[in-house]
Amino acid sequence: AQLENCHFRTGACLGLLLLHFNKPYTDNSDIMAILREITEPSSTFYLDMNDHDLVLLFNSEEVLSTESLRKTAAQLLDTITAEAMLTIRIAYDRAVENLSDLPATYQNLLLSMKIGSIFLSSDNIYYYRNLGLGKLLSRLPREACLDYLEESLPGVDFSEIDEETGHTIRTFFASGLNIAETARILYL
């Protein structure tokens, strides 16, 4: 229903950011002011999904690069965290040229938020194309994952994993399953 009020330029480049707030953002009047300060209100639509989730839809005549979306996400993260004192997570994907591609992009952002919060819990910005193994694992049935873990690591009670081991596992996934990179990061 909110999209009915949006007027899209023909041939424009469309980009989405999904913002997830730890507390209802509607309770904080500064949020919309911050968003309008950082984004261009004439070409940005703010779509309220619920009390915790807000989608920013950019409608630009210029090509929206992945890097420009990442920079906007980083600027939003820094400003909202500092000025509104809210914890926020942001997901983004490549910009698209057709309105018909927006639903798939939105689904990618939802998946990015889910996977990022599990496998990249120390990060607050998630790019769909950088989720690697997390995307593959999220598509497997839970039972298949549990069967694999029981077969590969017999006798391990995963509920008893300590914080240090959990941190090591998260670092391993964040490093793209690269043992050398994991060791380097943990050593530093």
Side-chain angles (χ1 to χ4, degrees):
Q2 292 180 39
L3 280 177
E4 292 172 359
N5 299 324
C6 299
H7 300 285
F8 297 100
R9 295 182 193 108
T10 316
C13 193
L14 304 167
L16 291 178
L17 291 181
L18 173 61
L19 284 63
H20 177 80
F21 299 87
N22 66 328
K23 297 178 185 172
Y25 75 91
T26 51
D27 295 344
N28 191 325
S29 60
D30 295 336
I31 295 296
M32 293 312 290
I34 292 169
L35 292 175
R36 286 185 177 94
E37 179 182 311
I38 293 174
T39 62
E40 179 59 46
S42 65
S43 62
T44 306
F45 301 102
Y46 310 98
L47 306 172
D48 181 24
M49 305 312 281
N50 57 49
D51 286 347
H52 292 272
D53 296 315
L54 179 69
V55 171
L56 288 118
L57 171 57
F58 302 100
N59 184 21
S60 174
E61 291 178 7
E62 299 175 12
V63 174
L64 287 170
S65 70
T66 302
E67 182 60 22
S68 69
L69 288 171
R70 187 201 62 74
K71 285 181 180 178
T72 301
Q75 188 177 11
L76 286 168
L77 174 70
D78 293 343
T79 307
I80 290 171
T81 302
E83 293 184 19
M85 293 186 270
L86 286 175
T87 302
I88 181 175
R89 292 181 291 136
I90 303 173
Y92 69 103
D93 194 5
R94 289 186 263 193
V96 296
E97 294 181 5
N98 298 314
L99 280 173
S100 60
D101 294 332
L102 286 179
T105 301
Y106 178 68
Q107 290 300 318
N108 290 349
L109 299 184
L110 290 175
L111 188 61
S112 298
M113 196 64 73
K114 179 182 174 186
I115 294 169
S117 64
I118 294 169
F119 291 101
L120 305 169
S121 60
S122 61
D123 295 340
N124 290 318
I125 298 176
Y126 313 120
Y127 176 44
Y128 178 74
R129 309 290 168 184
N130 286 346
L131 298 176
L133 186 64
K135 278 194 287 192
L136 176 64
L137 293 176
S138 72
R139 292 188 173 112
L140 294 175
R142 181 175 174 81
E143 297 78 28
C145 294
L146 292 174
D147 287 346
Y148 175 78
L149 289 173
E150 287 174 6
E151 291 170 9
S152 300
L153 304 167
V156 174
D157 183 3
F158 293 101
S159 64
E160 295 181 9
I161 292 179
D162 60 62
E163 182 59 34
E164 184 177 347
T165 304
H167 174 69
T168 302
I169 292 169
R170 285 188 295 279
T171 304
F172 180 61
F173 280 113
S175 302
L177 304 180
N178 184 324
I179 293 174
E181 181 65 12
T182 302
R184 187 190 69 75
I185 291 169
L186 293 174
Y187 179 74
L188 297 176

